[in-house]
């Protein structure tokens, strides 16, 4: 019997994008279900009763939650092609460390940049750039974070690239001016179909960020 794979997702979610990219890298066919996060479906509430958040991967009826956990699961189940995590235990630990940093620092700071104003925004901007510079240092002169091939850390970070315009336009700064190598890396990742097809247009994201700023009453 063919396996059943469903992704509960939301188009603008960088967490959802991670799963879309990983599934595309592996060539997995799946059903994509778009959630309305203001009116969550009974399926989402049933599949992720703890956090009630997307993304959720449903594999043959079993839910897997949390994007980094989902990407690792995808890598373990469909292990024959495009490995995402390195096989060496130390390299694996390092990859998980940076993915965790991206989750807890870069994504959090990046979201603060477009969600705030005034002094709070200035601080968020500085913190965000600091995170990106650390990541740029870790990338070094390698084409991808793990070396020659696209992997777990790349999948973890690249979704936020489509939010860069929103950050830059809402806070009036240029990421490329301070992190040119990171932008070159992002453009390299975007050349991969698995990435470009999984990310929405930056303009659409920017419009959505403006809508959210209005919705939350941020001037
Ligand atoms: C974060 C998922 C998340 O924030 C992960 O999967 O990595 N740590 C989790 N999902 C958001 C949409 S993206 O901003 C979500 O589902 N929010 C609904 C809610 O908070 O009610």
């Amino acid at each position: 019997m063919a396996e059943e794979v469903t992704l509960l997702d939301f188009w603008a979610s960088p967490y959802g994008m991670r799963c879309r990219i990983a599934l595309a890298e592996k060539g997995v066919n799946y059903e994509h279900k778009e959630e309305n996060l203001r009116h969550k479906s009974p399926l989402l509430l049933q599949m992720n009763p703890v956090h009630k958040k997307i993304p959720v991967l449903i594999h043959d009826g079993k839910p897997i939650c949390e994007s980094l956990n989902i990407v690792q699961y995808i890598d373990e189940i469909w292990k024959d092609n495009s490995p995402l995590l390195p096989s060496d235990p130390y390299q694996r630990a390092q990859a998980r460390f940076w993915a965790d940093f991206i989750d807890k620092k870069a994504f959090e700071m990046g979201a603060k940049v477009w969600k705030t104003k005034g002094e709070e925004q200035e601080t968020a901007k500085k913190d965000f750039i600091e995170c990106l510079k650390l990541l740029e240092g870790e990338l070094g002169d390698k084409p991808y974070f793990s070396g020659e091939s696209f992997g777990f850390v790349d999948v973890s970070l690249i979704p936020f690239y489509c939010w860069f315009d929103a950050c830059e336009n809402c806070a009036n700064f240029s990421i490329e001016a301070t992190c040119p190598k990171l932008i070159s890396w992002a453009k390299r990742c975007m050349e991969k179909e698995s990435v470009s097809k999984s990310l929405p247009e930056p303009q659409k994201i920017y419009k959505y960020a403006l809508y959210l700023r209005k919705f939350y009453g941020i001037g």
Side-chain angles (χ1 to χ4, degrees):
M1 202 179 83
E3 52 190 356
E4 273 184 32
V5 183
T6 303
L7 181 67
L8 307 185
D9 199 358
F10 175 67
W11 71 275
S13 167
Y15 306 102
M17 290 173 215
R18 287 173 172 168
C19 307
R20 280 173 239 164
I21 295 169
L23 289 165
E25 274 290 301
K26 300 286 183 174
V28 178
N29 286 322
Y30 66 99
E31 188 184 352
H32 185 268
K33 283 194 177 163
E34 184 73 5
E35 281 287 330
N36 176 346
L37 297 178
R38 296 201 201 288
H39 302 280
K40 295 172 186 171
S41 72
L43 184 63
L44 173 59
L45 300 178
Q46 181 197 341
M47 292 291 153
N48 190 356
V50 175
H51 296 302
K52 304 176 178 65
K53 289 184 178 189
I54 61 90
V56 180
L57 185 78
I58 311 172
H59 186 199
D60 288 336
K62 293 174 297 189
I64 301 100
C65 301
E66 288 293 309
S67 60
L68 293 178
N69 191 38
I70 296 171
V71 174
Q72 289 185 61
Y73 178 83
I74 291 170
D75 197 33
E76 285 173 20
I77 294 291
W78 292 280
K79 54 178 177 291
D80 292 341
N81 52 338
S82 310
L84 296 172
L85 274 148
S87 51
D88 173 72
Y90 182 72
Q91 296 302 330
R92 283 171 83 83
Q94 287 304 97
R96 285 193 295 255
F97 169 86
W98 283 108
D100 183 64
F101 172 83
I102 290 163
D103 238 28
K104 296 197 178 121
K105 295 281 182 181
F107 274 27
E108 290 286 315
M109 290 304 154
K112 254 197 179 168
V113 170
W114 65 262
K115 265 186 199 160
T116 54
K117 61 177 177 181
E119 240 177 66
E120 201 184 350
Q121 190 176 50
E122 285 307 307
T123 309
K125 213 155 78 173
K126 260 192 231 138
D127 291 345
F128 182 49
I129 285 290
E130 214 170 281
C131 284
L132 295 182
K133 279 192 163 172
L134 273 168
L135 286 163
E136 199 178 56
E138 173 57 20
L139 175 69
D141 291 318
K142 305 188 292 290
Y144 299 106
F145 278 90
S146 61
E148 292 304 312
S149 58
F150 182 76
F152 189 59
V153 182
D154 306 297
V155 176
S156 305
L157 181 61
I158 193 61
F160 208 69
Y161 181 54
C162 66
W163 279 87
F164 277 13
D165 270 15
C167 293
E168 293 178 320
N169 293 335
C170 291
N172 196 24
F173 72 122
S174 156
I175 295 171
E176 188 160 24
T178 36
C179 301
K181 276 191 189 170
L182 200 68
I183 297 296
S184 302
W185 160 84
K187 288 182 178 158
R188 193 172 306 123
C189 292
M190 288 297 284
E191 284 168 17
K192 296 179 75 72
E193 209 180 276
S194 61
V195 178
S196 59
K197 288 205 165 155
S198 303
L199 267 53
E201 285 296 317
Q203 267 308 308
K204 203 176 159 200
I205 293 280
Y206 176 44
K207 272 194 193 154
Y208 180 58
L210 289 180
Y211 158 80
L212 287 176
R213 280 178 71 90
K214 228 181 187 172
F215 184 83
Y216 292 115
I218 307 154

